[in-house]
Amino acid sequence: MLSTGLPQGSVPKLERPGPLRDRVYEALLELITTRALQPGQHLVESELAGHLGVSRQPVREALQRLNTEGWVDLRPAQGAFVHEPTEAEADQLLTVRTLLEAEAARLAAANAGTSGIADLEELCARGEAAVAADDVDAAVATNARFHAKVMDLAGNTVLAELAAQVDRRVRWYYTPVARQRGQQSWIEHRDLIAAIAARDEQRATDVMRAHTEHTRRTYHARPRDQ
């Protein structure tokens, strides 16, 4: 275990292209999103710099940006801490997610072709395998790819751009309940695929709305140490 509480192997490698500060920002955001860095955790610049193999300056710049975006709290005389979301923040975000994804499901039912439906089937199989293997990280990542594919099949660029703005926060909130949602989440995904394949727009809307609402309720009912 690293001194900042990062699990061994969780620190992403920094990709070479792009400004260093942007690469450090992306690395830290990924660690926060996956909860390798936990809400409320103290972020020490020198330790993070050591783990990432960079100087403290790009880490400081990344933390300032993350503070502006609400991922990190900078406290005078105390330092940086991963933001601890309130129940109201989570509820607002997940409610907006329901609106966006329900419309995406409707449009996907209207527009998806056989290849798109096959892609959803493949992702669903991967997600089911991840649940069976109790691989939470893979289940969360595959869940995100599944929902992104539905959004892609919707064919609405503006809707996709709005969804992209909340995607990482959805992953942040979904991670602590992924094991609780487990196989049931993928059963709901199967129901959604069936509605899309049948071109039943109303059914696809209803299934997606119920699916995302189930996740929202599970998040609020989770043990508070998660």
Side-chain angles (χ1 to χ4, degrees), residues 208-225:
M208 181 64 93
R209 181 176 291 115
H211 172 69
T212 54
E213 279 294 297
H214 192 178
T215 296
R216 185 179 68 85
R217 291 193 300 270
T218 303
Y219 179 84
H220 288 307
R222 77 198 185 287
R224 287 300 184 264
D225 60 349

Side-chain angles (χ1 to χ4, degrees), residues 48-70:
L48 292 171
H51 298 327
L52 295 173
V54 299
S55 69
R56 293 177 61 175
Q57 183 59 31
V59 171
R60 183 177 301 113
E61 293 174 354
L63 291 176
Q64 290 170 345
R65 180 177 173 185
L66 290 166
N67 171 249
T68 300
E69 296 176 356

Side-chain angles (χ1 to χ4, degrees), residues 6 21 217:
L6 292 175
R21 63 178 178 275
R217 291 193 300 270

Side-chain angles (χ1 to χ4, degrees), residues 166-183:
V166 303
D167 173 67
R168 255 177 162 152
R169 291 191 187 275
V170 169
R171 286 173 58 196
W172 196 33
Y173 295 128
Y174 183 70
T175 296
V177 300
R179 184 172 277 114
Q180 292 169 260
R181 291 288 276 124
Q183 189 61 37

Side-chain angles (χ1 to χ4, degrees), residues 101-155:
E101 301 232 17
E103 178 62 8
R106 183 188 71 79
L107 291 172
N111 299 322
T114 55
S115 63
I117 293 168
D119 290 341
L120 291 177
E121 293 276 5
E122 180 182 355
L123 287 167
C124 200
R126 290 183 191 177
E128 290 164 343
V131 170
D134 196 29
D135 188 339
V136 173
D137 289 342
V140 171
T142 307
N143 180 73
R145 285 195 291 271
F146 181 92
H147 283 269
K149 185 61 184 180
V150 173
M151 192 64 64
D152 177 59
L153 295 176

